[in-house]
Amino acid sequence: MLSIARGELVQIFRNRSVLINSFVVPVAISAFFIYQHEVFAQLGSLGYIAAIVMFTVCAFGLYTSAVTTMASRRQNLFMKRLRSTAAGDAGILAGLVLPVTVIALVQVIVILTVLGVVTGMPDDIALLAVALLATVAMMVGLGLATAGLTNSPEHAQVTTLPVSLGVIAVASWVGISGTEDLALLKRLLPGGSATELVVNAWNGGVAVTDSLLLLAPTLAWVVVAVALAARLFRWEPRRTG
Amino acid sequence: MTSPPVIDVDRLDVKYGDFHAVRSLSFQVRRGEFYALLGTNGAGKTSTLETIEGHRVPTSGTVRVLGHSPADRAAVRPRMGIMLQESGFSPDLTVRESVRLIGELTQRTDRVERVLGIVDLTRKANTKVSHLSGGEKRRLDFATAVYGTPELVFLDEPTTGLDVQSRDALWDAVDKLREDGSTIVLTTHYLEEAQQRADRVGLMHRGTFHREGTVAELTRTLPAMIRFALPPSAPALPLPGKRESDGKFLIETHRLQKDMAVLLRWAEDHAVELQELQAGPTRLDDVFRAIDD
């Protein structure tokens, strides 16, 4: 797994368009949110900014590059090549998504640290970390499922839009309007409860037990995503002949 | 004492939807053998090979490789090298990185420099795969297949796109593997390669074996050929022959030496020159061409 991950890391840094689209753009957007934090804090709260930068990195960085990577490695038969070795399927997948996952985690941690330094520290760092890990797991799972529906890296530009724009929209909706009305719907949508969890962890004022219940929908989405991935994921391009 | 077969295929069926790619195929490959799987396009060679390699699941029937199910990657893959029909390397990795990565994942031990030397890619070690020619990619593929000298090597169309020197170098490397006791399974479009090297040939047609046996066994059943051109003034032939579309005569015979003598004596007696004279046993190509007849 680690040798595959090392190879992936090398490939990410050699492929400039992947590097820029997936890692520079989310950081730039996040920097804008932090720079304009007074405006956005007034619109929602500081917790909303934390949630939106986390989802920006996870949706455009992590999720989109995971799907693009899978589609690309399948299309050029690199996955088949890996499966010609003694490596198991789980190890291959883990190796392929590990670098983008670690990069996304580091990005979010650095960006939130900057936000904390600029605006004041979050109320509950441990809860924030739990929310981040659950969100990353959900986005990786959704990425594997989406990869099954994606034929090529170019195709990924289309297939990733519903989920990436969807979770950003949900995060903005929940982060700005809160969950006082339509609470059930907002919490069940992918990213909704994770957003509320991040907002609570950052702003404080909500009992930890209440917040932890919000993990359930996110973890349910992880299960749904993995189940979808198991049905949809393909290791080789569709046979054309 | 006979050792158990390295590959044991028993009534294998492979279907893709309605398409029946392999039909009730059974065969065995013994330790140290060079076995060639031949056939026309769509005959089911690659489906068979990929099922044995573990890339496909049989629709029915059983396949055992080195005593295990091919799906048991941890058990079988460290002992076998696979050269796929299409390369499947990451364009952004260098040659050295690709060999090291795939080599490590086979769990065999070897030196990257050694296998690059075998395929003459030492000078390209730091070149990205995207900058390699088609032939160089085939050689890179071969290098990863023979990393750590596995006891079983699959070669799926290994010489497609290779120039003559690379082809010879590849076969030299295969000969060396065989000296070390490796078993080789080959599919190829170049019948000469199979004719020259294979211990046994499985000739596939429409998903099953049209014939299986040694090259001699396969060609023995077909007549040998004598071909030549004649001047227009020549008298009638002493043997039954037919005139082909290019104007040359073709004599098919199961008694090559005897009929050759008859023909040469006749030419001598009538002072006829047999132009562009050729004679020889049936080649594997002819066995192939005879499939649909």
Side-chain angles (χ1 to χ4, degrees):
Chain A
M1 179 184 88
L2 287 179
S3 24
I4 297 174
R6 196 178 55 211
E8 283 303 309
L9 200 61
V10 170
Q11 293 176 63
I12 288 169
F13 281 99
R14 287 206 186 131
N15 195 322
R16 209 162 294 157
S17 69
V18 172
L19 199 61
I20 291 173
N21 287 335
S22 310
F23 305 110
V24 178
V25 171
V27 170
I29 294 173
S30 302
F32 174 73
F33 271 93
I34 294 177
Y35 179 68
Q36 295 283 356
H37 65 91
E38 283 169 11
V39 178
F40 290 109
Q42 215 163 22
L43 191 65
S45 63
L46 286 174
Y48 158 63
I49 299 179
I52 204 73
V53 295
M54 180 180 88
F55 271 99
T56 302
V57 172
C58 287
F60 293 121
L62 173 61
Y63 167 77
T64 306
S65 17
V67 176
T68 310
T69 301
M70 298 286 173
S72 158
R73 306 292 179 262
R74 176 177 54 223
Q75 191 187 38
N76 64 25
L77 297 171
F78 186 64
M79 280 192 192
K80 186 176 183 181
R81 160 76 43 199
L82 294 177
R83 290 184 100 217
S84 299
T85 69
D89 286 349
I92 292 173
L93 283 183
L96 289 175
V97 297
L98 188 63
V100 287
T101 308
V102 170
I103 289 174
L105 281 171
V106 170
Q107 276 182 304
V108 173
I109 291 168
V110 169
I111 293 167
L112 291 186
T113 305
V114 173
L115 181 67
V117 170
V118 173
T119 67
M121 281 296 154
D123 184 71
D124 190 337
I125 292 181
L127 192 61
L128 193 62
V130 170
L132 172 61
L133 291 177
T135 305
V136 165
M138 179 180 82
M139 296 311 283
V140 170
L142 289 172
L144 291 178
T146 311
L149 302 167
T150 308
N151 297 324
S152 66
E154 296 75 27
H155 191 207
Q157 293 173 355
V158 180
T159 58
T160 55
L161 285 182
V163 169
S164 56
L165 294 183
V167 295
I168 296 281
V170 170
S172 305
W173 187 30
V174 174
I176 293 172
S177 70
T179 49
E180 268 149 42
D181 46 38
L182 299 173
L184 186 64
L185 173 67
K186 285 174 175 171
R187 284 172 182 160
L188 288 182
L189 287 171
S193 62
T195 302
E196 192 180 351
L197 192 57
V198 172
V199 171
N200 291 351
W202 196 280
N203 297 342
V206 179
V208 172
T209 45
D210 289 348
S211 288
L212 283 178
L213 279 177
L214 293 170
L215 274 179
T218 305
L219 296 179
W221 275 108
V222 175
V223 173
V224 169
V226 170
L228 279 175
R231 286 183 68 92
L232 298 173
F233 195 80
R234 287 174 291 120
W235 292 95
E236 290 180 34
R238 255 181 245 286
R239 289 170 70 88
T240 49
Chain B
M1 199 186 87
T2 52
S3 56
V6 172
I7 294 173
D8 191 354
V9 176
D10 188 30
R11 282 165 292 163
L12 172 68
D13 276 83
V14 180
K15 289 183 192 171
Y16 309 107
D18 290 340
F19 180 62
H20 208 148
V22 180
R23 298 166 188 266
S24 196
L25 186 72
S26 299
F27 70 102
Q28 296 185 334
V29 179
R30 294 184 285 267
R31 184 162 296 280
E33 201 171 19
F34 188 129
Y35 191 96
L37 211 48
L38 303 180
T40 45
N41 287 332
K45 309 185 290 283
T46 296
S47 294
T48 303
L49 199 64
E50 293 200 338
T51 309
I52 301 170
E53 290 167 352
H55 283 296
R56 308 205 171 281
V57 181
T59 307
S60 66
T62 53
V63 176
R64 305 287 288 175
V65 176
L66 299 161
H68 299 269
S69 157
D72 189 354
R73 267 186 235 166
V76 295
R77 291 296 174 68
R79 298 167 65 188
M80 68 199 229
I82 299 177
M83 182 171 179
L84 296 170
Q85 195 176 106
E86 293 170 88
S87 287
F89 291 102
S90 179
D92 290 326
L93 292 181
T94 66
V95 167
R96 178 182 283 118
E97 287 164 346
S98 300
V99 173
R100 188 186 299 135
L101 171 61
I102 302 302
E104 275 176 14
L105 294 177
T106 64
Q107 296 177 5
R108 294 189 288 272
T109 48
D110 205 332
R111 286 182 311 111
V112 174
E113 306 308 327
R114 184 191 81 87
V115 293
L116 289 183
I118 292 175
V119 295
D120 194 25
L121 283 176
T122 307
R123 276 172 302 116
K124 300 268 183 178
N126 294 317
T127 304
K128 279 207 231 168
V129 171
S130 56
H131 295 153
L132 295 183
S133 69
E136 287 167 340
K137 282 185 195 159
R138 294 309 284 148
R139 280 147 59 192
L140 172 61
D141 204 336
F142 182 77
T144 60
V146 303
Y147 186 95
T149 317
E151 57 191 284
L152 171 61
V153 180
F154 292 95
L155 304 173
D156 198 351
E157 315 256 348
T159 52
T160 305
L162 292 192
D163 59 27
V164 179
Q165 280 93 340
S166 307
R167 210 173 281 185
D168 289 347
L170 183 138
W171 290 122
D172 285 346
V174 170
D175 289 343
K176 234 167 252 146
L177 281 168
R178 297 199 69 197
E179 284 166 21
D180 292 335
S182 296
T183 306
I184 312 289
V185 178
L186 167 80
T187 75
T188 181
H189 279 308
Y190 297 103
L191 300 177
E192 288 169 24
E193 294 179 339
Q195 181 146 17
Q196 285 165 14
R197 294 163 200 284
D199 296 317
R200 279 192 305 144
V201 173
L203 189 55
M204 288 191 76
H205 185 57
R206 297 196 185 124
T208 191
F209 276 148
H210 180 70
R211 298 230 181 115
E212 194 202 20
T214 63
V215 173
E217 284 166 353
L218 258 54
T219 54
R220 195 177 297 152
T221 53
L222 288 174
M225 315 260 190
I226 308 172
R227 266 197 189 86
F228 50 89
L230 285 179
S233 57
L237 284 174
L239 295 164
K242 57 184 176 190
R243 191 160 188 151
E244 296 198 295
S245 52
D246 59 359
K248 283 192 194 167
F249 288 87
L250 171 70
I251 293 173
E252 293 182 331
T253 172
H254 285 280
R255 304 171 308 167
L256 178 61
Q257 188 181 339
K258 207 155 179 256
D259 285 349
M260 196 69 192
V262 170
L263 182 70
L264 292 175
R265 198 168 311 117
W266 170 84
E268 196 69 33
D269 291 349
H270 295 83
V272 171
E273 188 193 353
L274 298 169
Q275 294 152 358
E276 299 169 66
L277 175 64
Q278 283 183 339
T282 308
R283 289 148 38 94
L284 213 41
D285 302 39
D286 301 311
V287 178
F288 241 84
R289 291 196 186 96
I291 283 184
D292 275 320
D293 292 351

